[in-house]
Amino acid sequence: MSQLFTPVRIGRYIAPNRLVMAPMTRSRADSDGVPSDLTVAYYAQRASAGLIISEGVFPSAMGKGYVHTPGIETEAQVAAWKKVTEAVHARGGRIFMQLMHTGRISHPSLLDGATPVAPSAIKPEGQAWTPAGQVDFVTPRELSLLEIADVIEDYRQATRRALEAGFDGVELHAASGYLPEQFLSSGSNQRQDLYGGSVEGRARFVLDVLDAMAVEAGADRVGIKISPEMNYNSITDAAPQETYAYLVEQLRGWGLAYLHVTLFGAQFDYHAQLRPRFEGAYLIGGGLTQDSAESALYEGKADATVFGSAFLANPDLPERFRVGAALNAADRSTFFAPPTAKGYIDYPALAAAEAA
Ligand SMILES: Cc1cc2nc3c(=O)[nH]c(=O)nc-3n(C[C@H](O)[C@H](O)[C@H](O)COP(=O)(O)O)c2cc1C
């Protein structure tokens, strides 16, 4: 029997199926980080997901790392997001906001000239996506202890505003080499104070941010995304198995809604290591197919399964899986394209596809 279409508890909510839409940056907000009505339509089209996790949203302007990404800092941003959550709820869906602070994976041209911040002043390899195209990353500025307290407070306030905008919960983006993973990982965190050094020190920022989010939303409306050993955006860690086991161990008893683990290319079986350490819903993602998702659920390896590009290209992904229909292919050339409908809200649903 299919497991994908059985209900599952995710924190405070019961999702009607185990298909979660992955957080995906689409770069279609205006230059003030305000989502448009296209974004309302995009998420509303995908409301049949058990849970939608929004694209990465910057909690404060210093967290912005790409052109045309949205924020949750200003009144205009909150008002625009409210339209999104209302449309998703009107179609019976649930939506969490992903809070994404890119830290050193930004550029002064995205930050009104300010230098990106990080745990340590270590320049990442690679290039930032700026209004002037791709340019080399710069050496970030090390956050002081007082500034770290401010960033944690930014996440708390962003959580409050996300709830005000009608989101059902919030996810901390602690993957993909952005600020939280910069703190977690030994290659980007060479601090010798409370927020660095040992694994206890390196994990402290993530735990403090999650605590601030949970204070605001209740732990059962907070999730966290990690991707051990994905090594994206110039991240390296000397002992990732130890780092992630410690982090997840610390979360025991918090009552968080979910742990979202995306694996790409890791040799080590992190799911086997982490799942028994976490008592909330365990979400897996990264290159899943309907079959592999079904098997993982059947074997008890996960509580829910997260789909990225398949959801991007198939607004009715659950229905397509249910009836065994073919999938639309995702068009990479329109993944990030301000602010156009093409490749955003024009992927056909089944009935429309059949009629065409
Ligand atoms: C266009 C695009 C944008 C993405 N943006 C984000 C993001 O903002 N935050 C995030 O955590 N992951 C992001 N990801 C990664 C996805 O959440 C997911 O982990 C990844 O696509 C793997 O799942 P898939 O193989 O089902 O696509 C993005 C992926 C894609 C394709």
Side-chain angles (χ1 to χ4, degrees):
M1 194 193 108
S2 169
Q3 300 293 307
L4 281 169
F5 299 100
T6 58
V8 62
R9 173 170 290 284
I10 301 181
R12 199 174 291 188
Y13 306 98
I14 305 289
N17 63 59
R18 295 168 190 245
L19 288 159
V20 175
M21 177 173 164
M24 284 179 286
T25 291
R26 304 304 311 274
S27 285
R28 280 167 168 87
D30 73 13
S31 49
D32 293 325
V34 178
S36 76
D37 287 346
L38 292 176
T39 300
V40 177
Y42 167 73
Y43 285 111
Q45 286 174 345
R46 287 157 179 78
S48 64
L51 174 69
I52 295 173
I53 306 169
S54 83
E55 63 207 280
V57 177
F58 54 84
S60 57
M62 277 303 288
K64 181 174 177 176
Y66 299 91
V67 277
H68 291 290
T69 49
I72 186 75
E73 189 176 26
T74 67
E75 288 303 312
Q77 291 161 356
V78 171
W81 280 118
K82 205 171 210 163
K83 292 200 229 170
V84 171
T85 62
E86 282 170 0
V88 169
H89 291 152
R91 292 206 179 185
R94 290 140 302 282
I95 181 166
F96 274 39
M97 172 178 279
Q98 185 187 61
L99 296 179
M100 166 168 141
H101 189 309
T102 57
R104 66 181 188 166
I105 303 303
S106 185
H107 189 269
S109 62
L110 293 161
L111 304 173
D112 279 336
T115 303
V117 294
S120 300
I122 302 169
K123 184 169 116 111
E125 301 283 322
Q127 295 188 312
W129 295 80
T130 78
Q134 283 186 269
V135 293
D136 287 352
F137 289 126
V138 299
T139 303
R141 195 170 61 72
E142 177 179 315
L143 287 162
S144 71
L145 280 175
L146 272 176
E147 288 174 318
I148 291 175
D150 287 343
V151 176
I152 295 166
E153 174 63 13
D154 288 343
Y155 275 101
R156 190 187 67 74
Q157 293 200 22
T159 300
R160 183 174 55 71
R161 284 189 294 267
L163 298 175
E164 189 186 319
F167 282 87
D168 299 298
V170 279
E171 175 181 283
L172 174 63
H173 193 352
S176 303
Y178 300 126
L179 187 66
E181 197 179 8
Q182 291 160 29
F183 270 94
L184 267 182
S185 309
S186 59
S188 43
N189 182 347
Q190 296 182 352
R191 303 179 74 93
Q192 295 302 323
D193 61 9
L194 206 58
Y195 287 93
S198 60
V199 64
E200 290 84 356
R202 285 183 283 111
R204 193 178 314 278
F205 178 77
V206 170
L207 294 169
D208 283 0
V209 171
L210 278 176
D211 183 58
M213 291 165 67
V215 162
E216 208 54 53
D220 60 351
R221 290 196 290 178
V222 175
I224 173 175
K225 180 180 184 183
I226 56 173
S227 54
E229 283 187 59
M230 190 159 89
N231 300 344
Y232 184 62
N233 278 324
S234 203
I235 272 296
T236 56
D237 188 28
Q241 295 172 24
E242 184 198 353
T243 300
Y244 288 96
Y246 174 81
L247 175 67
V248 174
E249 197 72 59
Q250 293 310 299
L251 298 173
R252 203 189 285 277
W254 284 40
L256 286 184
Y258 65 81
L259 174 62
H260 172 188
V261 184
T262 303
L263 291 183
F264 272 112
Q267 297 300 312
F268 179 68
D269 188 353
Y270 282 94
H271 294 321
Q273 183 199 45
L274 299 178
R275 178 153 208 226
R277 289 180 151 85
F278 188 75
E279 73 270 277
Y282 191 82
L283 277 51
I284 61 169
L288 292 177
T289 62
Q290 180 174 3
D291 282 352
S292 63
E294 199 72 83
S295 307
L297 292 172
Y298 186 74
E299 291 164 16
K301 291 183 175 161
D303 297 301
T305 52
V306 185
F307 287 80
S309 43
F311 245 121
L312 183 156
N314 296 275
D316 54 347
L317 188 66
E319 178 64 5
R320 284 177 192 252
F321 279 175
R322 209 178 54 74
V323 303
L327 300 186
N328 302 320
D331 172 8
R332 301 185 64 89
S333 72
T334 53
F335 276 2
F336 315 105
T340 50
K342 188 171 178 317
Y344 196 40
I345 58 168
D346 61 352
Y347 284 107
L350 269 184
E354 276 159 11

